[in-house]
Amino acid sequence: MVHQAKHIFPGDDRVPGFVDQGQLRDDAEFMVAQTQHALEDLLDPSLLHTQRLRHPTFDDLFEIILEIRRVADWGTGLYSRRDLDPSTLSTVEGKISFLSKAAGLVGVTLGAPLELQMTDLLVGTDAVSANRFLQSLAAAATEGAGFQRGASHKRSNAEPSSRPADALNALDLDDAGTGGAGLD
């Protein structure tokens, strides 16, 4: 079956045109493999399952961002306690704000803004953009002087949380919202 694609991968030198469904599937698998490679020094393999990265939802992105923040000391001070509060993250606006802050910092770190459709990222319908974002996030997080590629930064025997509230609780914040986690 042939479909017309606007972009296979934004920023690619390939000319958009007609591609068959098999080619799109191959490109998606390649994109997921690139994401896994970019994040392998940062994250526990349980966060990098192929199925999870094929259609990452907000909860997947949230968990990955917080884990990268923890292991690479990336984005310290980026989020307030309110930003990470489950009641804030239960709203579309709160989720978009969370992702926008991460994307903004990635863009500043890498010297180029990221073009993302936040609503598509929230529901997992734009796997290509989500994977490009995760690859950019890995590059931004590992750019700092404190990170050494190849060193084990992963949490041993990590049990990934399945919900943003679980990940927030794992930060062990004090009443001021900092708890040594570097939050404003």
Side-chain angles (χ1 to χ4, degrees):
M1 176 178 246
V2 176
H3 296 278
Q4 186 170 8
K6 280 187 177 177
H7 300 283
I8 296 172
F9 297 119
D12 250 9
D13 292 334
R14 291 189 249 182
V15 177
F18 289 96
V19 293
D20 66 39
Q21 198 65 357
Q23 182 65 41
L24 287 175
R25 188 172 37 259
D26 291 344
D27 288 342
E29 295 301 318
F30 178 72
M31 177 63 71
V32 167
Q34 285 182 312
T35 302
Q36 290 168 325
H37 177 70
L39 293 170
E40 68 187 355
D41 287 340
L42 290 164
L43 300 176
D44 187 87
S46 64
L47 293 173
L48 300 175
H49 282 209
T50 301
Q51 191 61 31
R52 186 178 211 182
L53 294 174
R54 280 186 188 141
H55 301 286
T57 64
F58 172 78
D59 288 351
D60 297 325
L61 297 174
F62 177 86
E63 189 170 358
I64 289 169
I65 291 167
L66 286 186
E67 186 64 7
I68 287 175
R69 185 185 167 284
R70 187 191 68 76
V71 299
D73 197 28
W74 176 85
T76 302
L78 184 61
Y79 299 109
S80 69
R81 182 167 178 79
R82 180 159 171 37
D83 290 334
L84 298 173
D85 186 89
S87 65
T88 301
L89 292 169
S90 68
T91 67
V92 171
E93 295 82 16
K95 291 175 182 179
I96 289 175
S97 174
F98 178 87
L99 291 175
S100 294
K101 285 183 177 188
L105 183 57
V106 168
V108 167
T109 303
L110 298 180
L114 301 179
E115 294 182 28
L116 299 169
Q117 293 296 322
M118 293 297 169
T119 53
D120 291 342
L121 290 181
L122 291 183
V123 295
T125 58
D126 190 354
V128 171
S129 291
N131 277 274
R132 285 233 184 247
F133 166 67
L134 291 172
Q135 291 169 30
S136 298
L137 174 60
T142 57
E143 192 171 281
F147 184 86
Q148 296 178 3
R149 271 240 180 249
S152 179
H153 297 279
K154 302 175 216 177
R155 181 183 299 164
S156 61
N157 298 323
E159 284 292 328
S161 65
S162 59
R163 299 174 308 133
D166 295 338
L168 177 60
N169 292 336
L171 289 176
D172 194 25
L173 300 174
D174 60 20
D175 290 337
T178 59
L183 299 174
D184 291 321

